[in-house]
Amino acid sequence: MSTQSSHQTWGGRFAEGPDARVAAFTESISFETRLAPYDIQGSIAHAGMLAHIGVLTSAEFETIRDGLLAIDEQIAAGEFPWDPALEDVHMNIEARLTENIGHLGKKLHTARSRNDQVATDVRLWLRDALDHLIGEVDRLRSGLIGLAEREADTIMPGFTHLQVAQPVTFGHHMLAWQAMLARDAERLGQIRARANVLPLGAAALAGTTFAIDRERVAAELGFDGVIDNSLDAVSDRDFAIEFVSASATIMMHLSRFSEELILWMSPAFGFVELPDRYCTGSSIMPQKKNPDVAELTRGKTARVQGHLTALLTLMKGQPLAYNRDNQEDKIPMFDTADTVTTCIALFADMMPHVAVDSAQCREAARRGFATATDLADYLVRAGVAFRDAHEIVGNCVSTAIEQGCDLAELELATLQRFSDAIGGDVYEVLTLEGSVAARDHIGGTAPNQVRAAAARARAALAG
Ligand code: ARG
């Protein structure tokens, strides 16, 4: 099952072309055409540098550049005939260039290798992917800050162990998610800075015998510098691992967020409602309105975590320098970018439209004795040791459970049975509003602190 001729770009030493199954096994064009615009950008910068050092004439450079730009347009128009027999995006473009401009096309690959070429393409692609993703994360952050401002006074139960713990404001809760996403965006920016260096010039692994000007190519392509060591430049994929790792962290955050939305949308909680356009129905149960965006986000988190494991495992056994294994970095990297960007964009669209049922949220806090800690703090201020106060309040809660009422509904005389430090003013600390307002310091849940935190978050986002 061999093809007739040997391979057109590396066939010189081969007596026959690859077996059809081998050709299908080794090609990467079926999953990497998104690299094409970056491959062309890199080739133009490389050819320009070759002209600058006198390896090409400027007329030759211009013909190559125009030929590449014409191919770029053809690709953008979806009219490029990708040929799997040419293996990858690099050879497809180079072969087409030679077809279009003739013999001169064969000079483009002077002083480079596909090894430094692909490393360059992937870094250029990742830079754009990161910029887009950071923009979407920031859009979601902005939506959450808006929601926090809108719901700065809305009381809901704060949970630990998913048991009602202390009252918080809905706005405070949203700003917690915003803070996690702010760190995610910062991480992506740091990864961008580390990845934004030029591999080209490393050639296959050891550098090239031509007097290349790498700084010039780096500047042309918007890189902040060149990768110092040629072996490192063609072989490591730590930038891809960092990107997928930061993405897995984002997905982990979104997945926890999703879990809360799913719970809150359940009628058992009934805290929030989403517009119908962000939900789907059941084919059998007509009453159902399902939070599928959140559920699928939680589900897709598994995929991105898998991609991180795949990339770490891909690299762990490779000796220096380039190995074909590296071709397997693309699907995990591309799918990670697609998945995390789509999930973040959907959340950014959806979150500003979340309707909060403040009565239901408040009722859940009231039923859960969320102000028990406030009563303990009250006793401490009256001179009771905290451990004793804890015990006294525990007795009060158990009496309220027996009587089927909430702490604020217990009679003063009943409360005083447990401690004579309790006075008539105790009811002020037993209200939910009093409880949240009392946590009035940086990082606390008091509505005025939430508003101040939202303003700080907005300033950080703008800055
Ligand atoms: N498609 C290859 C990759 O993604 C391009 C580099 C091929 N280099 C080679 N020496 N076969 O890694």
Side-chain angles (χ1 to χ4, degrees):
M1 276 241 294
S2 299
T3 48
Q4 293 280 282
S5 59
S6 59
H7 199 279
Q8 79 178 88
T9 51
W10 44 251
R13 61 99 70 215
F14 287 79
E16 57 178 4
D19 179 272
R21 227 196 289 274
V22 170
F25 185 69
T26 52
E27 67 84 24
S28 53
I29 195 60
S30 56
F31 51 80
E32 69 179 13
T33 55
R34 67 176 76 190
L35 291 178
Y38 305 102
D39 194 70
I40 289 172
Q41 207 188 335
S43 287
I44 292 174
H46 178 68
M49 183 276 291
L50 290 180
H52 183 72
I53 63 168
V55 170
L56 294 175
T57 67
S58 38
E60 284 177 327
F61 162 62
E62 278 159 28
T63 308
I64 288 176
R65 182 198 56 205
D66 294 349
L68 286 168
L69 289 174
I71 290 173
D72 198 27
E73 271 175 37
Q74 200 189 2
I75 293 170
E79 286 160 6
F80 189 88
W82 297 111
D83 180 3
L86 290 166
E87 272 188 44
D88 57 28
V89 71
H90 326 293
M91 298 214 284
N92 264 268
I93 292 170
E94 190 190 312
R96 176 42 73 113
L97 179 71
T98 303
E99 230 173 275
N100 290 354
I101 68 169
H103 179 73
L104 177 56
K106 296 185 183 177
K107 292 192 176 179
L108 173 61
H109 211 52
T110 310
R112 78 173 181 188
S113 149
R114 277 186 294 159
N115 299 350
D116 57 346
Q117 191 179 355
V118 70
T120 303
D121 292 5
V122 168
R123 282 173 191 260
L124 286 171
W125 165 81
L126 181 61
R127 195 171 70 187
D128 273 2
L130 282 168
D131 287 343
H132 182 58
L133 177 56
I134 291 168
E136 291 299 273
V137 172
D138 286 352
R139 191 163 68 85
L140 172 54
R141 289 169 62 197
S142 168
L144 291 175
I145 295 167
L147 187 55
E149 283 162 342
R150 200 182 82 200
E151 306 292 345
D153 296 292
T154 305
I155 288 173
M156 65 177 282
F159 298 92
T160 59
H161 315 272
L162 203 56
Q163 306 295 314
V164 172
Q166 292 171 355
V168 295
T169 59
F170 195 92
H172 195 54
H173 199 113
M174 289 303 109
L175 288 182
W177 289 118
Q178 192 288 133
M180 296 177 217
L181 290 163
R183 288 194 296 279
D184 286 327
E186 184 182 55
R187 249 188 296 275
L188 294 175
Q190 291 162 344
I191 290 163
R192 185 198 195 281
R194 252 190 309 280
N196 197 34
V197 278
L198 177 78
L200 212 61
L205 75 164
T208 172
T209 56
F210 293 92
I212 55 171
D213 183 348
R214 297 185 68 205
E215 268 82 15
R216 182 190 165 90
V217 178
E220 179 89 17
L221 294 174
F223 284 115
D224 295 326
V226 302
I227 299 179
D228 205 39
N229 181 290
S230 62
L231 296 165
D232 176 38
V234 291
S235 73
D236 205 3
R237 292 294 182 269
D238 58 355
F239 63 94
I241 291 171
E242 284 195 315
F243 164 60
V244 177
S245 168
S247 297
T249 303
I250 294 176
M251 291 301 292
M252 174 275 292
H253 285 151
L254 275 192
S255 184
R256 298 184 66 190
F257 199 173
S258 295
E259 176 67 8
E260 295 200 330
L261 288 176
I262 293 160
L263 285 171
W264 295 352
M265 272 185 70
S266 158
F269 278 74
F271 290 1
V272 299
E273 183 75 66
L274 276 176
D276 286 359
R277 63 184 179 282
Y278 295 116
C279 299
T280 57
S282 156
S283 59
I284 176 172
M285 296 167 286
Q287 85 283 11
K288 293 294 291 295
K289 176 171 162 182
N290 295 329
D292 287 21
V293 169
E295 288 173 78
L296 270 171
T297 298
R298 191 177 56 187
K300 286 172 191 287
T301 303
R303 216 160 14 128
V304 177
Q305 288 182 4
H307 291 327
L308 176 58
T309 303
L311 283 185
L312 286 166
T313 312
L314 174 69
M315 297 311 295
K316 75 176 274 295
Q318 288 194 45
L320 296 183
Y322 177 87
N323 301 279
R324 192 62 177 268
D325 313 40
N326 281 349
Q327 182 165 300
E328 286 290 310
D329 65 356
K330 312 238 167 17
I331 290 175
M333 229 187 330
F334 294 159
D335 187 64
T336 293
D338 293 345
T339 303
V340 67
T341 309
T342 305
C343 292
I344 287 278
L346 266 169
F347 268 69
D349 291 347
M350 188 170 80
M351 289 313 293
H353 303 288
V354 166
V356 181
D357 187 334
S358 54
Q360 189 74 9
C361 288
R362 193 182 189 289
E363 179 56 20
R366 198 191 62 79
R367 271 196 320 256
F369 306 108
T371 57
T373 316
D374 298 81
L375 178 54
D377 288 352
Y378 168 92
L379 288 167
V380 168
R381 277 191 290 273
V384 181
F386 182 79
R387 272 297 145 236
D388 294 334
H390 188 288
E391 173 78 16
I392 292 164
V393 179
N395 292 330
C396 296
V397 167
S398 129
T399 304
I401 292 170
E402 272 163 32
Q403 297 190 6
C405 68
D406 122 45
L407 282 176
E409 287 162 353
L410 289 173
E411 308 240 319
L412 184 59
T414 311
L415 288 166
Q416 284 173 333
R417 276 212 323 262
F418 301 110
S419 169
D420 52 18
I422 296 179
D425 59 348
V426 71
Y427 293 101
E428 284 158 37
V429 307
L430 291 181
T431 68
L432 295 165
E433 285 72 14
S435 170
V436 293
R439 285 163 171 80
D440 187 10
H441 52 77
I442 287 207
T445 193
N448 63 304
Q449 291 292 344
V450 170
R451 273 184 271 272
R456 286 197 300 276
R458 226 179 246 306
L461 193 52

Coordinates of all heavy atoms in Angstrom, one line a residue, residues 7 30 57 81 102 129 133 136 153 180 185 193-194 232 281 284 289 296-297 324 367 385 458:
H7 N 8.2 11.2 -0.8 CA 7.5 12.4 -0.3 C 8.1 13.7 -1.0 O 9.3 13.8 -1.1 CB 7.6 12.5 1.2 CG 6.7 13.4 1.8 ND1 6.9 14.7 1.8 CD2 5.5 13.2 2.4 CE1 5.8 15.3 2.4 NE2 5.0 14.4 2.7
S30 N -5.2 17.7 9.6 CA -6.7 17.6 9.9 C -7.0 18.3 11.2 O -8.2 18.6 11.4 CB -7.1 16.1 10.0 OG -6.3 15.5 11.0
T57 N 17.4 38.2 -2.3 CA 17.4 39.6 -2.7 C 16.1 40.2 -2.3 O 15.1 39.5 -1.9 CB 17.4 39.7 -4.3 OG1 16.2 39.1 -4.8 CG2 18.6 38.9 -4.8
P81 N -6.9 24.3 -0.8 CA -7.0 22.8 -0.9 C -6.0 22.1 0.0 O -5.0 21.7 -0.4 CB -6.8 22.5 -2.4 CG -5.8 23.6 -2.8 CD -6.1 24.8 -1.9
G102 N 6.8 29.4 -8.2 CA 7.9 28.6 -8.8 C 9.0 28.3 -7.9 O 8.9 28.4 -6.7
A129 N -4.8 33.6 21.5 CA -5.8 32.9 22.2 C -5.9 33.4 23.7 O -7.0 33.6 24.2 CB -5.5 31.4 22.2
L133 N -9.0 35.2 25.5 CA -9.6 34.6 26.8 C -9.5 35.6 27.9 O -10.5 35.7 28.7 CB -8.7 33.4 27.1 CG -9.1 32.6 28.4 CD1 -10.6 32.3 28.5 CD2 -8.2 31.4 28.6
E136 N -12.4 37.9 27.7 CA -13.7 37.2 28.1 C -13.7 37.1 29.7 O -14.8 37.3 30.3 CB -13.9 35.9 27.4 CG -14.1 36.0 26.0 CD -15.4 36.7 25.6 OE1 -16.5 36.1 25.6 OE2 -15.3 38.0 25.4
D153 N -27.3 44.5 49.1 CA -28.1 44.4 50.4 C -28.8 43.1 50.5 O -29.5 42.9 51.5 CB -29.1 45.6 50.4 CG -28.4 46.9 50.4 OD1 -27.8 47.2 51.5 OD2 -28.4 47.7 49.4
M180 N -11.6 35.3 42.4 CA -10.9 34.1 41.9 C -10.6 34.3 40.4 O -9.5 34.0 39.9 CB -11.8 32.9 42.1 CG -12.0 32.5 43.5 SD -13.2 31.1 43.7 CE -14.0 31.7 45.2
A185 N -7.1 35.7 35.6 CA -6.7 36.6 34.5 C -5.3 37.0 34.7 O -4.5 37.1 33.7 CB -7.6 37.9 34.5
A193 N 3.3 36.5 29.0 CA 4.6 37.2 29.1 C 5.7 36.2 28.9 O 6.7 36.4 28.2 CB 4.8 38.0 30.4
R194 N 5.6 35.0 29.6 CA 6.7 34.0 29.5 C 6.7 33.3 28.1 O 7.8 32.9 27.7 CB 6.5 32.9 30.6 CG 7.5 33.0 31.7 CD 7.4 31.8 32.6 NE 6.1 31.5 33.1 CZ 5.5 32.1 34.1 NH1 6.1 33.1 34.8 NH2 4.3 31.8 34.5
D232 N 16.4 24.0 23.9 CA 15.2 24.4 24.7 C 14.1 24.9 23.8 O 12.9 24.6 23.9 CB 15.6 25.4 25.7 CG 14.5 25.9 26.5 OD1 13.6 25.1 26.9 OD2 14.5 27.2 26.9
G281 N -34.9 22.2 28.3 CA -36.1 21.4 28.9 C -35.8 19.9 28.9 O -34.8 19.5 28.4
I284 N -39.2 14.5 28.6 CA -40.3 13.7 29.2 C -41.1 14.5 30.3 O -42.3 14.4 30.4 CB -39.8 12.3 29.8 CG1 -41.0 11.6 30.5 CG2 -38.7 12.5 30.7 CD1 -40.7 10.2 30.9
K289 N -37.0 22.8 33.9 CA -36.2 23.9 33.3 C -34.8 23.7 33.9 O -34.6 23.9 35.0 CB -36.7 25.3 33.7 CG -35.9 26.4 33.2 CD -36.6 27.7 33.4 CE -35.6 28.9 33.3 NZ -36.3 30.2 33.5
L296 N -23.1 21.5 32.0 CA -22.1 21.1 31.0 C -20.7 21.8 31.3 O -19.7 21.2 31.0 CB -22.6 21.6 29.6 CG -23.4 20.5 28.9 CD1 -24.0 21.1 27.6 CD2 -22.5 19.3 28.5
T297 N -20.7 23.0 31.9 CA -19.5 23.6 32.3 C -18.8 22.7 33.3 O -17.6 22.4 33.2 CB -19.7 25.0 32.8 OG1 -20.3 25.8 31.8 CG2 -18.4 25.7 33.3
R324 N 8.7 13.8 17.6 CA 7.4 13.9 16.9 C 6.2 13.9 17.9 O 5.1 14.3 17.6 CB 7.3 12.8 15.8 CG 6.1 13.0 14.9 CD 6.2 14.3 14.1 NE 5.1 14.5 13.1 CZ 5.2 14.0 11.9 NH1 6.2 13.4 11.4 NH2 4.1 14.2 11.1
R367 N -34.2 30.6 58.6 CA -34.5 29.2 59.1 C -33.3 28.5 59.6 O -33.4 27.6 60.4 CB -35.1 28.4 57.9 CG -36.6 28.5 57.7 CD -37.1 27.3 56.8 NE -36.2 27.1 55.7 CZ -36.4 27.5 54.5 NH1 -37.5 28.1 54.2 NH2 -35.5 27.3 53.5
A385 N -17.0 34.2 78.5 CA -15.9 33.7 77.7 C -16.5 33.0 76.5 O -17.6 32.5 76.5 CB -15.2 32.6 78.5
R458 N -13.7 47.2 40.3 CA -13.9 47.9 39.1 C -12.7 48.7 38.7 O -12.3 48.6 37.5 CB -15.1 48.8 39.2 CG -16.0 48.7 38.0 CD -17.2 49.6 38.1 NE -18.5 48.9 38.2 CZ -18.9 47.9 37.4 NH1 -18.1 47.6 36.4 NH2 -20.0 47.3 37.5

